[in-house]
Amino acid sequence: MKLVVILCILLGGLGVLYAAAVDKDVVDKKTKFDENVYGAIDEEDEDLQKDQNDYYSEIEKDDEDGHEGPEEAEGSNDVNVKLISKGQEFMQDIDTVVDLPCQTSSKNPVRLWYKDSILIYHDQINLENKQNYKLLDNGTLQVTITSAKDFGNYSCKLAVLTKTQPQVVHQVFGKISPNITHLFVDPNKKVFDSGASFTLTCQASGYPKPKIQWHKDNEKLGTEGESLTITNAKPSHAGNYRCFADNKVGKPDHKYIKISIIHAPIVLVDKYLINTDHGEDAELICEVKGYPTPVVLWQRNEQNIVSREPKIVLKRTDERNTLTIRNVTEEDFGKYACVAINSNGKETRTLNLVKTPAMRKFQKSHSPQKDIILQWRVESKQLISAHELQYRVKGESDWNTLVPEVEPSDNDVYLIKYTLKSLEPGIYETRARSKNHHGWSNYSDIIPFESANSGSHKAKHPKKELKDVKAQESASLDTPAQQRTGEAVGESKTSSSTSLIPSLSLLVLLMIIHMRQ
């Protein structure tokens, strides 16, 4: 019996040992499987696991005590925080300080400050480590403007747990001188047919925003703004179009673009008469426009002139063409022609090289007394001995001839001057000529002028005539009125005398009766 009991105990112990061995083998296999999948657990992981277990134990304990969980740390952002500051624009100079506000409804939210698209501040951390950035206690970003690179957009975002983070954007501008960034033509070409239309566009940067003005060659156009449109283009529209950008900061910026209009040559001459003398040098000048660029020829007696330096010099600068004749002799005087030719046509202008005076320019002016002053300019390298000035009423054939005094010249230019007094109103014509030791010049072109001044021979002024007519009308009306007034007075006197006769008769009768008594 005892032996049976002992065998049972031994068998039970072996069963326990076998079960323990089986459990250990299962655990070891699971551990090896976990290590193969997740990696072996070291001591730090065991400590971390222990901390997590402790953490969740605390949560379970708080839940049991009726708490909602760990208390939220002070300063963390929630969905209820709001931005109070509004975006602003700041105009700053270099070496100035600007404060950019980012005021919120919460005391200590996490703010993210950006310069354009670059994060420069994360809460209190200066990520760019720039000395000119400073975050104040109230969240305001203080920026010291050290260069133009500090201008731009500054945005403050709140790190809240929402899909869209509230932000405020401030724009910091500086006074920046103008800079033309683009100057172009639409359509994209620079040569146009006559009658075409095109638009020039000029774009400029700078702050404040620059104003754009347009010039053509040296002439200011009335157009302002980024665009200048030309419709129905003519040859006169060809030239250099210049864009000026100015914002009163620094110097204005300018660029130009050359526009060409396809057309036949145009020849312009400032002086058709060129005065010189033997042994002097003479310059004949013509200005030629056209596209394609014309070929320019100088001719004498329909023969092309070729350069024969030093006697004959031909020069061309852009549109200006010059024929220089050195040491002029008698055979050099006469007519010359400036001829321009391109694929669209041909044009010729004649110039005269003379030794007699060359008439230049007429101008009419008024003296303080409103007299008419006729003035001509004449050029002569030789001394002028006489002037002759003529005028007449337009439409008449006879000229009135005047002989002005000869005054000293100013750089070979003389002034013919004469004052016409008491000239009747009307349209007149004038011409002039001068004389040097080579003889009289030809008369100048006939130039019209107008006189409307008051003088002894001038007709009555319309307003005065109207006043005189009104005075006459008033006088003619006054005479009958006065007569009617006189008649009324006479009638009143007669009526008064007539009414006195019965009274006197009655008085005489009473006196007779009284005397008889």
Side-chain angles (χ1 to χ4, degrees):
M1 188 68 180
K2 290 181 180 180
L3 181 60
V4 173
V5 171
I6 292 171
L7 288 172
C8 290
I9 293 171
L10 289 172
L11 290 172
L14 291 172
V16 171
L17 291 173
Y18 178 77
V22 171
D23 290 338
K24 184 175 184 304
D25 184 61
V26 172
V27 170
D28 290 338
K29 289 181 178 180
K30 184 178 185 302
T31 301
K32 290 180 180 180
F33 177 79
D34 291 340
E35 288 177 351
N36 291 333
V37 176
Y38 302 107
I41 299 177
D42 56 18
E43 294 180 357
E44 293 181 0
D45 294 332
E46 290 178 354
D47 294 339
L48 177 62
Q49 182 67 31
K50 182 179 179 181
D51 293 339
Q52 290 178 346
N53 292 337
D54 293 342
Y55 175 77
Y56 287 110
S57 297
E58 289 294 332
I59 292 178
E60 292 175 359
K61 183 178 179 181
D62 288 338
D63 290 340
E64 292 176 358
D65 294 339
H67 294 293
E68 296 181 355
E71 184 177 355
E72 185 178 2
E74 183 180 359
S76 64
N77 288 349
D78 57 41
V79 295
N80 296 320
V81 65
K82 295 181 180 179
L83 265 170
I84 299 175
S85 298
K86 303 294 183 183
Q88 301 180 50
E89 294 183 354
F90 297 88
M91 170 73 77
Q92 298 295 132
D93 292 324
I94 303 297
D95 296 328
T96 61
V97 178
V98 58
D99 290 341
L100 309 177
C102 185
Q103 187 178 357
T104 65
S105 59
S106 178
K107 291 184 179 179
N108 297 307
V110 176
R111 296 177 174 87
L112 305 175
W113 274 101
Y114 291 82
K115 164 66 168 63
D116 296 326
S117 59
I118 300 174
L119 182 62
I120 58 176
Y121 257 99
H122 185 285
D123 201 17
Q124 300 294 324
I125 303 174
N126 187 341
L127 299 178
E128 291 292 298
N129 197 27
K130 287 191 174 182
Q131 299 301 316
N132 61 322
Y133 292 162
K134 183 179 180 183
L135 191 64
L136 305 182
D137 293 338
N138 60 357
T140 295
L141 178 64
Q142 190 174 82
V143 180
T144 301
I145 308 298
T146 58
S147 69
K149 294 181 180 179
D150 294 320
F151 299 131
N153 294 333
Y154 291 81
S155 57
C156 174
K157 293 184 179 180
L158 301 183
V160 297
L161 303 176
T162 58
K163 291 183 179 180
T164 58
Q165 296 177 326
Q167 70 170 336
V168 59
V169 180
H170 301 295
Q171 294 178 302
V172 180
F173 299 99
K175 294 180 179 179
I176 304 173
S177 58
N179 177 43
I180 295 176
T181 56
H182 298 91
L183 177 59
F184 58 92
V185 186
D186 182 27
N188 187 23
K189 57 182 183 178
K190 300 178 183 179
V191 179
F192 298 91
D193 294 323
S194 295
S197 298
F198 57 91
T199 299
L200 297 95
T201 300
C202 178
Q203 297 173 343
S205 62
Y207 197 87
K209 185 177 180 180
K211 291 184 178 180
I212 304 297
Q213 291 185 337
W214 292 92
H215 290 66
K216 179 180 174 295
D217 298 324
N218 295 321
E219 179 184 357
K220 182 178 178 180
L221 304 177
T223 304
E224 294 184 357
E226 289 189 351
S227 297
L228 171 65
T229 298
I230 304 297
T231 58
N232 191 23
K234 300 178 178 59
S236 59
H237 289 126
N240 293 322
Y241 286 83
R242 193 177 301 273
C243 162
F244 278 84
D246 187 16
N247 63 356
K248 307 303 181 183
V249 179
K251 294 181 179 180
D253 193 17
H254 62 92
K255 290 183 179 180
Y256 77 91
I257 189 169
K258 185 175 182 179
I259 299 297
S260 299
I261 307 297
I262 298 174
H263 64 92
I266 299 174
V267 181
L268 304 175
V269 175
D270 183 42
K271 295 181 179 180
Y272 289 93
L273 288 175
I274 298 91
N275 170 266
T276 190
D277 205 353
H278 299 93
E280 299 282 348
D281 294 344
E283 252 188 7
L284 287 71
I285 301 172
C286 68
E287 184 177 347
V288 176
K289 301 176 181 291
Y291 195 88
T293 302
V295 174
V296 179
L297 303 172
W298 286 98
Q299 294 181 342
R300 175 81 187 276
N301 299 324
E302 298 184 351
Q303 298 295 317
N304 292 342
I305 298 174
V306 295
S307 181
R308 293 184 289 107
E309 296 188 21
K311 176 66 177 178
I312 303 294
V313 181
L314 301 177
K315 184 178 180 181
R316 181 170 186 172
T317 306
D318 295 330
E319 297 174 345
R320 183 183 175 95
N321 299 269
T322 306
L323 165 62
T324 302
I325 304 173
R326 303 193 186 280
N327 192 22
V328 171
T329 62
E330 184 66 27
E331 64 181 9
D332 294 323
F333 292 103
K335 292 185 178 182
Y336 293 79
C338 175
V339 183
I341 307 169
N342 71 4
S343 57
N344 296 296
K346 173 182 177 181
E347 185 167 76
T348 302
R349 286 287 181 268
T350 300
L351 301 86
N352 286 329
L353 184 62
V354 298
K355 52 190 174 182
T356 56
M359 305 304 298
R360 284 284 171 257
K361 184 179 180 182
F362 167 77
Q363 65 184 71
K364 183 202 77 169
S365 61
H366 294 276
S367 70
Q369 294 77 28
K370 295 185 179 180
D371 294 327
I372 301 297
I373 301 176
L374 300 181
Q375 296 186 110
W376 283 91
R377 295 188 182 276
V378 59
E379 184 176 340
S380 177
K381 292 188 176 297
Q382 308 84 17
L383 290 176
I384 288 181
S385 57
H387 297 308
E388 185 178 282
L389 189 150
Q390 295 183 331
Y391 75 98
R392 68 184 178 186
V393 176
K394 187 175 182 179
E396 295 183 355
S397 58
D398 295 334
W399 289 94
N400 299 299
T401 301
L402 306 170
V403 182
E405 294 183 1
V406 177
E407 298 180 358
S409 69
D410 180 11
N411 195 24
D412 296 332
V413 176
Y414 292 78
L415 182 66
I416 305 174
K417 184 177 180 181
Y418 197 91
T419 302
L420 298 175
K421 295 180 177 294
S422 304
L423 193 65
E424 293 183 359
I427 305 298
Y428 292 80
E429 295 175 329
T430 184
R431 65 180 183 178
R433 64 175 182 168
S434 296
K435 181 181 179 182
N436 61 18
H437 72 269
H438 290 294
W440 282 98
S441 67
N442 293 328
Y443 279 106
S444 65
D445 293 336
I446 297 174
I447 303 296
F449 70 94
E450 181 180 4
S451 172
N453 299 329
S454 58
S456 59
H457 299 290
K458 183 180 176 181
K460 292 184 179 180
H461 193 281
K463 291 184 178 179
K464 185 178 179 182
E465 291 180 351
L466 181 60
K467 184 176 179 181
D468 293 344
V469 169
K470 289 183 177 180
Q472 292 175 0
E473 291 178 351
S474 176
S476 64
L477 290 175
D478 286 346
T479 302
Q482 291 177 353
Q483 292 175 352
R484 287 194 299 269
T485 302
E487 291 174 355
V489 171
E491 290 175 356
S492 175
K493 290 180 179 179
T494 304
S495 175
S496 178
S497 302
T498 306
S499 62
L500 287 174
I501 293 175
S503 299
L504 291 173
S505 301
L506 179 59
L507 181 59
V508 171
L509 180 59
L510 290 174
M511 290 179 63
I512 293 172
I513 294 172
H514 180 70
M515 291 177 64
R516 286 182 177 182
Q517 291 177 354

